[in-house]
């Protein structure tokens, strides 16, 4: 059985998306393992890793998420490599290829000898790095290729995500770094749902609970005059508007345009007129205790997730990887 460790060079590299895309394109039986939990979700009375849940559901795996993704990394109380190896063996199945998904950064765990590089070596896997094209990320790729020489592993190359600029790939190739593909930015992958906003803000949904699956394609702060706000609101569809709970004028203006949800800050609830209008249009109103600045930062840092039942997103991921990554080189 072959195995590939997918290591993220920087945060928000698209590691989970690429892992799913590779799994969907592998011509054979594929298994999945992720040593450390990151983004958590609750299913009944269980708290599990979102990526493990996604892969198990999409790929129809029998083993539970707790086996596919067993640990939480704690720098002060780390798991031992022997535990990671045993967990990997437990998650392994009778398959042709095991995909091991790393943490937000491949260097996590380095101090305790359970980094992505160490796990790659311990499991006898090949290494594929996933990165965005920012200059700081490129420097880190160069550093990691040097660091790999301290381990008995084969670095297959780098998959660049969120870019179709071949100049970046050519630059890395000129430095002796193999590029396995360049996946262009996919706007649809950055869209999230109202439900994800509710969870991120621990918000109270005043009205519109039945439409928490509304897609959010843009976020705007309503802290201006109504006339100015309307100019912006009318130009964009499926948006979330962040505004104070006392700004009924902005709230009503937003409800007259293509709005996915209203996010009211400061723990202030909307006026009855606003609630009635939102109910008529089926637009969720969220109330959060955070102020406008904190709310906007939390929403800006929200990483859109792929739901197993979102067949369109899964299809987009599968096609993007198939069309832009040299799969033969990844799986050879």
């Amino acid at each position: 059985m072959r195995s590939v460790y997918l290591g993220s060079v920087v945060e928000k590299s698209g590691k989970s998306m690429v892992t799913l895309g590779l799994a969907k394109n592998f011509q054979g039986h594929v298994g999945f393992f992720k040593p450390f939990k990151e983004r958590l979700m609750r299913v009944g009375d269980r708290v599990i890793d979102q990526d493990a849940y996604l892969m198990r559901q999409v790929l129809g795996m029998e083993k539970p998420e707790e086996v596919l993704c067993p640990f939480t990394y704690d720098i002060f109380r780390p798991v031992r490599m022997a535990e990671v190896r045993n967990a990997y063996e437990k998650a392994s199945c009778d398959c042709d290829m095991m995909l091991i998904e790393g943490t937000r950064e491949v260097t996590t765990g380095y101090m305790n000898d359970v980094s992505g590089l160490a796990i790659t070596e311990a499991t006898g896997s090949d290494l594929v790095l996933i990165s965005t094209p920012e200059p700081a990320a490129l420097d880190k790729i160069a550093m990691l290729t040097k660091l790999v020489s301290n381990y008995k592993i084969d670095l297959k190359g780098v998959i660049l995500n969120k870019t179709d600029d071949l100049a970046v790939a050519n630059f890395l190739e000129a430095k002796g770094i193999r590029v396995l593909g360049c996946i262009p930015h996919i706007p649809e992958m950055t869209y999230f749902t109202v439900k994800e906003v509710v969870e991120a803000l621990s918000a109270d949904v005043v009205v519109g609970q039945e439409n928490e699956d509304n897609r959010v394609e843009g976020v705007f702060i309503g802290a201006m005059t109504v006339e100015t706000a309307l100019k912006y609101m009318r130009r964009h569809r499926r948006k979330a508007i962040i505004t104070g709970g006392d700004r009924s004028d902005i709230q009503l203006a937003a409800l007259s345009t293509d709005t996915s949800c209203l996010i009211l800050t400061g723990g202030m609830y909307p006026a009855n007129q606003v609630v009635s209008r939102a109910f008529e249009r089926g637009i969720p109103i969220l109330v959060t205790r955070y102020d406008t600045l904190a709310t906007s930062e939390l929403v800006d840092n929200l990483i859109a997730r792929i739901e197993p039942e979102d067949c369109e997103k899964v299809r987009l991921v599968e096609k993007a990887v198939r069309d832009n990554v040299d799969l033969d080189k990844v799986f050879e």
Side-chain angles (χ1 to χ4, degrees), residues 44-284:
D45 59 354
R46 302 160 60 215
V47 178
I48 57 177
D49 181 81
Q50 289 181 10
D51 294 330
Y53 176 77
L54 170 68
M55 297 295 285
R56 180 172 184 258
Q57 295 298 317
V58 172
L59 300 178
M61 296 179 171
E62 295 182 359
K63 295 184 179 180
E65 289 83 359
E66 291 86 350
V67 172
L68 301 179
C69 186
F71 305 116
T72 299
Y73 181 68
D74 185 336
I75 192 170
F76 300 110
R77 292 183 293 274
V79 297
R80 299 187 304 272
M81 182 58 79
E83 296 175 273
V84 175
R85 253 196 323 264
N86 288 339
Y88 171 70
E89 293 298 328
K90 188 176 180 181
S92 297
C93 54
D94 183 18
C95 57
D96 306 301
M97 172 67 68
M98 279 291 291
L99 295 179
I100 307 174
E101 181 180 344
T103 54
R104 292 184 179 92
E105 294 193 44
V106 71
T107 52
T108 298
Y110 186 82
M111 182 172 286
N112 294 301
D113 297 323
V114 287
S115 70
L117 303 178
I119 293 173
T120 301
E121 181 181 63
T123 56
S125 304
D126 295 324
L127 175 64
V128 171
L129 295 175
I130 301 166
S131 181
T132 50
E134 289 80 10
L138 302 184
D139 275 332
K140 197 168 180 182
I141 291 171
M143 179 191 71
L144 287 168
T145 57
K146 298 292 185 183
L147 191 59
V148 163
S149 63
N150 295 328
Y151 298 84
K152 296 177 182 178
I153 58 179
D154 176 25
L155 172 59
K156 285 183 170 290
V158 180
I159 295 175
L160 293 173
N161 192 27
K162 303 178 186 177
T163 182
D164 54 3
D165 186 358
L166 294 180
V168 179
N170 293 335
F171 173 77
L172 289 176
E173 292 275 4
K175 298 291 184 180
I177 299 170
R178 189 186 200 185
V179 177
L180 301 170
C182 293
I183 302 174
H185 173 66
I186 307 171
E188 292 85 352
M189 300 308 300
T190 65
Y191 302 155
F192 44 85
T193 65
V194 173
K195 182 180 179 181
E196 291 173 69
V197 179
V198 172
E199 293 173 358
L201 300 176
S202 299
D204 181 15
V205 184
V206 179
V207 66
Q209 291 90 341
E210 69 279 5
N211 290 319
E212 287 186 20
D213 289 333
N214 283 356
R215 190 167 72 183
V216 178
E217 298 182 5
V219 180
F220 300 90
I221 298 176
M224 55 194 79
T225 66
V226 175
E227 293 75 15
T228 303
L230 272 172
K231 291 179 182 178
Y232 288 98
M233 293 177 185
R234 287 168 176 161
R235 294 175 189 166
H236 302 277
R237 63 175 191 167
R238 295 177 180 170
K239 57 193 174 293
I241 302 294
I242 300 173
T243 191
D246 58 344
R247 291 297 306 270
S248 295
D249 54 345
I250 293 290
Q251 296 161 27
L252 289 169
L255 293 172
S256 69
T257 66
D258 188 349
T259 298
S260 294
C261 70
L262 286 178
I263 305 172
L264 309 187
T265 61
M268 296 183 66
Y269 284 74
N272 290 336
Q273 181 184 8
V274 176
V275 174
S276 297
R277 181 60 175 155
F279 178 79
E280 290 172 2
R281 298 204 58 204
I283 298 176

